Amino acid sequence: MIELENFSIGYGDKALLSNVSAAIEKGSLTALLGRNGSGKSTLLRAIAGLNTKYSGRIVLDGHDRRGMNPMELARVMAFVNTERTRISNLKCEDVVAIGRAPYTNWIGRMQPADREIVMRSLASVGMEAYSHRTMDTMSDGECQRIMIARALAQSTPIILLDEPTSFLDLPNRYELCNLLRRLAHDEGKCILFSTHELDIAMSLSDHIALIDSPCLHLLSSREMKASGLIERLFKIPVL
């Protein structure tokens, strides 16, 4: 679970979020929505520990974020950003194996159990047959699945994703979000992802976290659809 307690963040004199309290549940897929510049990436980076200029508390799986060292954080939360991974000669299984770094010994040597987790993570996203392919030969959708497999190999109860559907065509966007939904439900993970895809978010997510600066509205998808908040913020009808 991700908990925000009296959380505030911004830049300069602009408050993006002010005195927000919310709890994002495990076992569910939550979409983070908001207008451009509203603070979606800023919030995700704060939860991920990449931005510490906030007030209030972030609690991750019962632990205060500020009191966690990098190793502790890496065992609780995995973060998938929007950057493309296109390194020549880097095999998919090696990328996924990076997720085991918090658990390997001091020289980073993989044990048989770690390798089993890597292959199981690849299988979870339907990419086990691609384990020996190199990342520079993969499509954008395939690469995004590999990065999600890396997050799964990290064996964390929380996964954050910043715009995971960027660079994907429409069928792959739905396929990827269906994958995230399945992982949240089947493996009991707390998955929070930011997106601009309102239709996908409303149809596939369990909950919607809507940034309407300086407020954060967290409702079930059904409640959010009935609230009129999205229509008011984006000035468009929600079907």
Side-chain angles (χ1 to χ4, degrees):
M1 179 182 288
I2 302 169
E3 297 173 87
L4 304 177
E5 299 178 359
N6 299 316
F7 176 85
S8 299
I9 197 168
Y11 53 85
D13 295 328
K14 182 176 181 180
L16 297 173
L17 293 168
S18 180
N19 294 318
V20 166
S21 292
I24 300 171
E25 301 176 1
K26 65 180 181 179
S28 67
L29 178 64
T30 301
L32 178 61
L33 302 178
R35 296 181 69 89
N36 287 339
S38 62
K40 297 187 296 297
S41 292
T42 300
L43 174 58
L44 289 177
R45 289 175 63 82
I47 296 171
L50 302 175
N51 183 348
T52 59
K53 295 181 179 179
Y54 64 85
S55 61
R57 297 178 73 216
I58 299 174
V59 181
L60 304 177
D61 198 37
H63 305 280
D64 190 323
R65 165 67 195 91
R66 291 194 188 276
M68 301 174 72
N69 62 43
M71 186 64 72
E72 291 169 334
L73 181 61
R75 294 188 178 195
V76 170
M77 186 224 49
F79 183 42
V80 180
N81 61 27
T82 57
E83 295 179 4
R84 302 187 190 189
T85 302
R86 283 289 190 275
I87 303 175
S88 300
N89 301 319
L90 184 63
K91 292 190 296 184
C92 293
E93 65 178 345
D94 294 332
V95 174
V96 177
I98 294 171
R100 297 306 301 161
Y103 309 96
T104 54
N105 58 32
W106 65 277
I107 58 174
R109 179 172 296 166
M110 295 270 287
Q111 303 299 317
D114 296 306
R115 297 190 184 280
E116 182 179 343
I117 290 172
V118 167
M119 296 311 297
R120 188 164 65 242
S121 299
L122 282 164
S124 293
V125 299
M127 296 297 287
E128 65 271 34
Y130 293 71
S131 61
H132 293 291
R133 289 268 300 273
T134 56
M135 293 293 286
D136 58 326
T137 65
M138 311 280 283
S139 70
D140 289 334
E142 291 166 343
C143 284
Q144 195 67 287
R145 283 176 173 265
I146 294 299
M147 300 311 290
I148 293 171
R150 186 198 66 180
L152 289 176
Q154 205 169 321
S155 300
T156 61
I158 297 170
I159 299 178
L160 307 179
L161 304 100
D162 192 5
E163 298 284 353
T165 57
S166 295
F167 316 119
L168 302 183
D169 58 21
L170 188 59
N172 277 310
R173 292 174 191 172
Y174 273 95
E175 186 177 355
L176 179 62
C177 289
N178 268 314
L179 169 63
L180 295 177
R181 179 183 175 91
R182 175 174 61 79
L183 292 173
H185 293 177
D186 293 352
E187 302 194 17
K189 294 184 181 293
C190 174
I191 300 183
L192 173 64
F193 74 105
S194 64
T195 183
H196 290 289
E197 311 289 343
L198 296 181
D199 54 340
I200 294 177
M202 297 300 290
S203 62
L204 296 180
S205 300
D206 300 298
H207 297 89
I208 304 293
L210 178 68
I211 296 180
D212 184 5
S213 296
C215 301
L216 177 70
H217 305 285
L218 179 61
L219 299 170
S220 71
S221 296
R222 179 177 296 179
E223 291 171 331
M224 184 63 76
K225 191 177 295 186
S227 71
L229 289 167
I230 290 180
E231 292 174 296
R232 180 178 61 79
L233 183 62
F234 291 98
K235 305 290 193 298
I236 58 172
V238 176
L239 301 178

